[in-house]
């Protein structure tokens, strides 16, 4: 085995290492840097280019290369925390270009093997100058299989994988499509600054943006990537596999077949010592090493391929260089979070999604799981509970424990969701096949599955299947809450719910003993209700742990009575059960009623009485599982706490008066005797300190006396026996009614008020609206009430009404579709959904759509329910109206069917049902049928027909022409079907448009308590203006988030976003940009490419890039975010004026004054529409618009706008307000200037001299976009930017200099820039 001669270059072009092994000692040594952590236990991470300043000691461990190491390479060596595991070091080693070929090895220090599962800090004598050696290990069969899988991925021979769970383009990122990010280095920054100064009006990314135009589906479609060069023609498992017993005894594991680019075919043997070319052929079996000169062997398969294929080195180098051009965050595999699935995907004919032949794809199950497939079978419950029982005394213990918990929950969620999809498709045999379908249970891959339906009649009196469906959803939320409490000695099973193909499934880890048949007189559970409330079990062993849960969740300890009238005192709801498993652990189950029922809702819309088989329409709510949200309980607890503190302070008023009198007496006594004062001089400080401490204690309120808890079993049929019990029960009922009244009288009105006044960021879609409601403690069933309260309100409330109605319609459609889907075979689901979508969104194209049914499949599934084929637009309209009235108590207007926003409604439906649809121009309007038969955009003069929602748009072409294509960097996939296809099938949707349906997963994973504690401490420190401490704590929180969750996780993205805002406010622009880039990529891959959080991340990234003098890139980010905004909401979102204003500022920075004026005008118009023409927001924007008009030489318009701003300020704020005076001053200047220019219009030089340029108030500043639901008090403003509160004292000459030099004329004190704490490039 000789030295390899193929050098690999890293992303910055520096030589890293070569392949191959030293033939003498067979070991590869790597240079590494270890950071010893401070004794105080705080965790720090530093940039590769940043010196370690937070560490007490630094140890350089010389893992030396087999060749002399250049100084440049020593400067870029990696850093690994000694608090990390040796496994982390191993993972980092196998990702380094110089050691990428190794998977089977161990590390040695001073000749002693290092345990892979210990911390680096535990390695004996590891100090500065120590040497750690990488030693190759003999393979096992499993390691050999994993090595083959990894080598196929490294060399690009793995092909495309078909994932039945994650869907098409799972974890997609469009970040690389937006702008040329490849130049994050200084050279690119210099080019961008040069480009900023030379950017013309037609070249800026916003030049062809249409404010009121239709959404462009191309925004969601990734551009086609150039295919990577092929390193080999094929690598697969040989037909001679597996080895016969005789050769297995000699150390043979696998036989592989390799076809090189030269066309040669090699049979390879995987041996305990490595890989070698054998003598076999397609017709002859001889797995022994081949004779010279074609013999070749190596410990790594990668090295072996390099030795036998002359072209492999160059092609592999090209593959590595191509991969290094991409952002690593966009290519890394997601392991700790479920990837997001885009609802629009490229057509199957697109090169990015084309299905490629790959023989080994069918063999990967064997390579991953082995012949017996036993490696994937895991005892999930034991793993989860054992991890929970790990020590948690030190910070390091907690980090290790929470990281392992996050890993196990992520793996369980993935395995459970995959199994649930198989169960829903009927591919898993039930354990009780004789039972009804809803009552069947399943076990697959060590996980227990059941349907979220009332198969055994448990919820008959509560609402049947509807109640059961809600109960399992509440149970998952309850398990998540208990997991977050992390109470020692209390176990919860791993639990998720999966909505797939119209059915809801519950997946749980198997609790030991849950299937055990007990004695006839022994209850099936050990604590709580056994059979509803009729039989109740007591067990004192569960009281200590259940009491901790009740105290934390504010559940009152109370009495319940069984069917015999016997009293039982429980710590939780009678529905919450305790089970003593056969493993000795105490399990808490059935957590769907941790909060009381919403009695105000049930009193109004539910009844148990049935008249002639039907309930009255006004009280026919489908179930009785309407419970209050925990967030509402917390809000009411804060109200009661405030009342308690106020009452305590009122009681102390007399004490304070007595204390004041006592102080006067003491002061009189001290002044009466000077000698006494001198004698007590030494003791006075202590006496005063004691007195201050006493007064301080008296000013405190002991809240330990305060208690607040609710009885979750009130209004559930319990019958108190004694008068005392009845009185207590009545008090409990009164308290629950008070909480429900607080929701109606306080929470909902405040919610409406905050959105109306712009106090919080306005929701963008149904998901953000639901999330905001839940955060305030409002159940989604009240979305109808929100719409009713918004009917006659301001334009912002009208926008809320439209969004709420859209959410209700989408949810109603989901319920209607699920009713049809649950009784259909999987192969007919797309036909059903396409027909229902035609009835809802395509009825104007075809007023009588017919369902496309495969008659052959109908004959095969004769027992299936095909009633969906009878649905018509009218019947579907009636069903949706009925569901909306039934579930949300809201009556849709008669014109709703024709007034919905089709594109946005289609997206909401797709996300709720898990649909992945072909990205093409769907014909949703009859206008397209007569003028544009192929569904593409068509221009008639200046009118452009929408390719999606059929709106008629005045302006430029919606597709942007050639410039749009150039900006996207490539051709997009086919956007529409052919003319002949549409004429043959005059339907908007056909079954083939729905290319995939993915499961919707809701899990019970909790957040990291340690990371959240550090994050909250950092926020509090920043609010208290302790910036250095706050920054340190936030960095520590980020370090904890990365260690516990991994990089690619939604929680990590949110921390990146917050830290980016922090560094922006601290004027650390480079750090803010890098962190914002990370936040964008991770948000796209884990939350969604068009989610509201992703849009906010892009908007703030644009802000940071502009602050960093990359305005051209910033405008590209603005364009992408605005296009996404139109897709998920439509034009003129109530909060878009801030974004329009920021875009205008950026254009003004580029000296594009006319284009900037257009965006200021649009921002002002939106403010007039949403806030009113006489609002302060509109006046502020009119002030800015007047400045922009003056810069664009429209002096008359500038005077009019400034007069408008002055009038509003004078009327609203008075003549003495600073804003009024400032507007009056500039109004005078503009008026004089306009008159002067009119008189001397022909004198260009005089005009130039007398042109009155003025100082913009906020024109040269941008502001962050408000997050959904975040108030302006938290550092964001959800409406138009207001005055910064300080006047700009620059002169006219200084402003002229600014305009001419595109820089600030005033000299700014240079700030010391900190290095970026996180580098986006590896």
């Amino acid at each position: 085995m000789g030295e390899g001669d193929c050098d690999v270059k890293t992303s910055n072009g520096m030589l890293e290492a070569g392949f191959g092994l030293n033939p003498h000692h067979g070991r590869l040594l790597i240079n590494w840097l270890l950071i010893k952590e401070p004794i105080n236990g705080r965790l720090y991470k530093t940039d590769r280019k940043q010196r370690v300043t937070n560490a007490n000691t630094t140890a350089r461990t010389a893992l030396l290369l087999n060749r002399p190491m250049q100084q440049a390479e020593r400067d870029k060596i990696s850093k690994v925390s000694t608090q990390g595991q040796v496994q982390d070091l191993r993972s980092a080693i196998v990702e380094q270009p110089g050691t990428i070929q190794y998977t089977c090895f161990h590390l040695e220090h001073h000749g002693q093997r290092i345990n892979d599962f210990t911390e680096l800090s535990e390695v004996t004598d590891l100090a500065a100058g120590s040497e750690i050696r990488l030693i190759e290990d003999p393979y096992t069969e499993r390691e050999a299989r994993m090595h083959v899988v990894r080598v196929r991925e490294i060399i690009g021979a793995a092909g495309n994988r078909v994932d039945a769970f994650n869907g098409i383009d799972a974890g997609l990122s469009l970040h690389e499509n937006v702008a040329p990010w490849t130049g994050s280095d200084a050279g690119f920054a210099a080019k961008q600054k040069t480009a900023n100064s030379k950017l013309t009006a037609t070249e800026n990314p916003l030049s062809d943006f249409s404010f009121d135009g239709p959404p462009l589906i191309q925004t969601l479609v990734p551009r086609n990537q150039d295919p990577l060069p092929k390193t080999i023609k094929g690598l697969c498992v040989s037909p001679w596999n597996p080895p016969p017993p005789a050769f297995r005894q000699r150390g043979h594991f696998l036989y592989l077949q390799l076809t090189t680019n030269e066309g040669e075919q090699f049979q390879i043997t995987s041996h305990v010592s490595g890989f070698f070319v054998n003598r076999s052929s397609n017709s002859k079996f001889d797995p022994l090493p081949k004779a010279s000169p074609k013999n070749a062997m190596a410990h790594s398969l990668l090295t072996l391929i390099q030795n036998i294929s002359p072209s492999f080195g160059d092609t592999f180098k090209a593959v590595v260089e191509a991969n290094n051009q991409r952002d690593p965050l966009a290519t890394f595999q997601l392991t700790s979070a479920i990837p997001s699935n885009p609802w629009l995907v490229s057509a199957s004919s697109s090169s990015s999604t084309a299905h490629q032949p790959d023989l080994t794809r069918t063999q990967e199950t064997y390579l991953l799981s082995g012949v017996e497939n036993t490696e994937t079978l895991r005892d999930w419950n034991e793993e989860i509970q054992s991890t929970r029982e790990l020590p948690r005394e030190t910070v390091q213990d907690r980090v290790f424990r929470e990281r392992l918990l996050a890993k196990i929950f992520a793996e369980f969620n993935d395995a459970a969701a995959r199994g649930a999809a198989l169960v829903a498709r009927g591919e898993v045999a039930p354990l009780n096949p004789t039972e009804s379908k809803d009552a069947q249970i399943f076990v697959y891959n060590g996980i227990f599955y059941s349907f979220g339906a009332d198969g055994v009649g448990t919820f008959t009196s509560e609402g049947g299947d509807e109640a059961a469906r809600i109960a399992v959803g509440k149970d998952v939320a309850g398990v998540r809450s208990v997991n977050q409490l992390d109470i020692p000695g209390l176990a919860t099973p791993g639990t998720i719910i999966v909505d797939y193909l119209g059915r809801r499934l519950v997946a749980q880890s198997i609790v030991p003993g849950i299937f055990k048949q007990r004695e006839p007189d022994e209850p099936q559970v050990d604590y709580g209700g056994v059979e509803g409330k009729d039989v109740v079990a007591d067990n004192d062993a569960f009281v200590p742990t259940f009491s901790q849960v009740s105290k934390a969740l504010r559940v009152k300890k109370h009495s319940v009575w069984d069917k015999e009238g016997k009293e039982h005192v429980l710590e939780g709801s009678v529905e919450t059960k305790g089970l003593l498993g056969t493993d000795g652990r105490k399990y808490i189950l059935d957590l769907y009623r941790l909060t009381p029922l919403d009695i105000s809702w049930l009193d109004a819309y539910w009844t148990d009485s049935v008249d002639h088989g039907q309930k009255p329409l006004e009280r026919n709510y489908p179930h009785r599982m309407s419970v209050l949200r925990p967030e509402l309980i917390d809000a009411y607890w804060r109200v009661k706490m405030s009342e308690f503190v106020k009452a305590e302070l009122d009681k102390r008023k007399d004490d304070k008066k007595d204390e004041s009198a006592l102080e006067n007496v003491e002061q009189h006594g001290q002044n009466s005797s000077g000698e006494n004062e001198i004698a007590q001089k030494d003791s006075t400080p202590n006496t005063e300190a004691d007195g201050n401490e006493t007064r301080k204690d008296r000013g405190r309120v002991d809240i330990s006396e305060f208690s607040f808890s609710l009885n979750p079993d009130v209004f559930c049929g319990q019958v108190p026996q004694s008068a005392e019990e009845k009185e207590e029960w009545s008090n409990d009922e009164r308290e629950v009614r008070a909480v429900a009244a607080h929701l109606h009288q306080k929470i909902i009105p405040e919610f409406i008020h905050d959105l109306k006044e712009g106090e919080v960021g306005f929701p963008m879609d149904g998901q953000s609206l639901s999330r905001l409601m839940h955060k305030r403690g409002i159940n989604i069933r009240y979305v109808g009430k929100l719409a009713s309260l918004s009917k006659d309100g301001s334009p912002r409330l009208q926008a809320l009404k439209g969004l709420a109605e859209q959410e209700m319609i989408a949810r109603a459609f989901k319920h209607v579709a699920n009713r049809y889907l649950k009784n259909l075979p999987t192969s007919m689901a797309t036909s059903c959904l396409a027909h229902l979508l035609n009835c809802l969104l395509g009825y104007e194209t075809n007023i009588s759509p017919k369902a496309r049914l495969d008659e052959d499949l109908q004959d095969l599934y004769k027992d299936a329910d095909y009633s969906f084929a009878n649905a018509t637009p009218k019947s579907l309209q009636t069903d949706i109206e009925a569901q909306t009235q039934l579930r949300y108590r809201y009556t849709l207007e008669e014109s709703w069917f024709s007034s919905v926003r089709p594109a946005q409604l289609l997206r909401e439906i797709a996300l709720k049902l898990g649909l992945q649809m072909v990205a093409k121009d769907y014909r949703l309007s009859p206008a397209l049928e007569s003028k544009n038969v192929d569904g593409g955009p068509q221009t008639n003069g200046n009118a452009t027909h929408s390719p999606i929602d059929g709106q008629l748009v005045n302006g430029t072409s919606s597709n942007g022409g050639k410039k749009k294509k150039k900006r996207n960097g490539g051709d997009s996939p086919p956007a529409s079907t052919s003319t002949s296809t549409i004429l043959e099938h005059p339907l908007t949707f056909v079954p083939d448009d729905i290319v995939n349906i993915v499961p919707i997963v809701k899990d019970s994973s909790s957040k990291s308590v340690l990371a959240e504690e550090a994050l909250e401490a950092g926020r509090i420190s920043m609010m208290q203006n302790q910036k250095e401490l706050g920054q340190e704590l936030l960095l520590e929180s980020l370090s904890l988030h990365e260690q516990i969750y991994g990089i690619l996780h939604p929680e990590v993205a949110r921390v990146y976003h917050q830290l980016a805002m922090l560094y922006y406010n601290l004027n650390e622009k480079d750090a803010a940009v890098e962190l914002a880039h990370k936040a964008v990529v991770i948000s796209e891959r884990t939350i969604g490419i068009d989610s509201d959080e992703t849009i906010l991340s892009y908007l703030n990234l644009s802000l940071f890039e502009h602050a960093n003098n990359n305005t051209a890139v910033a405008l590209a980010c603005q364009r992408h975010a605005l296009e996404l905004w139109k897709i998920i909401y439509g034009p003129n979102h109530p909060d878009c004026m801030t974004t329009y204003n920021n875009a205008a500022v950026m254009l003004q920075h580029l000296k594009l004054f006319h284009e900037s004026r257009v965006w200021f005008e649009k921002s002002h118009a939106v403010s007039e529409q949403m806030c009113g023409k006489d609002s302060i927001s509109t006046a502020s924007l009119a002030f800015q618009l007047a400045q922009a008009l003056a810069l664009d030489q429209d002096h008359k318009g500038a005077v009019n706008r400034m007069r408008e701003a002055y009038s509003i300020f004078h009327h609203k704020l008075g003549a003495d307000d600073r804003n009024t005076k400032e507007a009056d001053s500039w109004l005078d200047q503009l008026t004089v200037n306009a008159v002067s220019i009119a008189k001397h219009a022909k004198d260009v030089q005089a005009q130039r001299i007398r042109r009155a340029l003025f100082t913009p108030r906020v024109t040269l500043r941008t502001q962050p976009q408000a997050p959904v639901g975040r108030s302006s008090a938290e550092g964001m403003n959800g409406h138009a930017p207001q005055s910064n509160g300080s006047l700009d004292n620059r002169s006219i000459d200084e402003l002229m200099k600014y305009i001419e030099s595109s820089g600030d004329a005033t000299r700014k004190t240079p700030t010391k820039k900190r290095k970026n704490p996180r580098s986006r490039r590896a």
Side-chain angles (χ1 to χ4, degrees), residues 377-390 404-405 408-409 411-412 445-447 491-494 508-513 581-587:
L377 300 179
R378 302 167 61 177
D379 188 343
W380 293 105
N381 190 76
E382 182 61 29
E383 288 189 42
I384 293 173
Q385 310 310 332
S386 299
T387 305
R388 282 205 179 106
E389 294 167 355
L390 289 173
L404 197 56
L405 267 176
I408 289 176
F409 272 117
E411 293 172 350
F412 170 78
N445 196 13
I447 301 173
T492 57
Q508 293 179 307
S509 60
I510 301 176
V511 177
T582 55
D583 57 357
R585 298 186 178 100
K586 301 181 185 67
Y587 291 88

Side-chain angles (χ1 to χ4, degrees), residues 382-548:
E382 182 61 29
E383 288 189 42
I384 293 173
Q385 310 310 332
S386 299
T387 305
R388 282 205 179 106
E389 294 167 355
L390 289 173
R392 60 178 89 180
E393 283 75 20
T394 66
V395 173
Q396 290 75 23
D397 289 341
R398 294 179 66 184
V399 171
F400 177 73
R401 176 179 176 272
E402 293 190 2
R403 176 171 58 182
L404 197 56
L405 267 176
K407 177 177 180 293
I408 289 176
F409 272 117
E411 293 172 350
F412 170 78
N413 294 341
D414 182 80
R418 292 178 185 275
L422 294 176
V423 172
R425 291 199 294 262
E427 299 176 20
V428 179
L431 298 180
N432 52 344
T434 59
E435 300 286 344
S436 64
K437 191 171 184 179
D438 288 341
Q440 290 177 350
I441 57 176
F442 309 80
V443 172
Y444 179 79
N445 196 13
I447 301 173
F448 172 73
Y449 296 93
S450 61
F451 290 108
D454 191 22
V456 295
T458 304
F459 297 95
T460 302
S461 61
E462 307 289 332
D465 289 345
E466 289 281 356
R469 182 183 181 91
I470 298 298
V472 296
K474 297 295 182 183
D475 182 44
V476 168
V479 173
R480 188 187 308 116
S481 299
V482 174
N483 286 343
Q484 192 67 43
L485 298 177
D486 201 10
I487 297 173
L490 187 64
T492 57
T495 309
I496 70 167
I497 57 174
V498 178
D499 292 329
Y500 186 57
L501 296 175
R503 305 191 70 91
R504 171 164 287 187
L505 293 101
V506 187
Q508 293 179 307
S509 60
I510 301 176
V511 177
I514 196 170
F515 295 125
K516 178 183 177 182
Q517 292 294 329
R518 303 196 180 190
E519 297 297 330
D521 57 343
E522 186 180 4
Q524 287 297 111
V525 298
D526 299 287
Y527 189 78
V530 180
E531 300 174 2
K533 58 181 180 291
D534 293 338
V535 179
V536 181
D538 292 317
N539 192 324
D540 294 339
F542 285 87
V543 173
T545 53
F546 271 52
S547 63
Q548 296 182 58

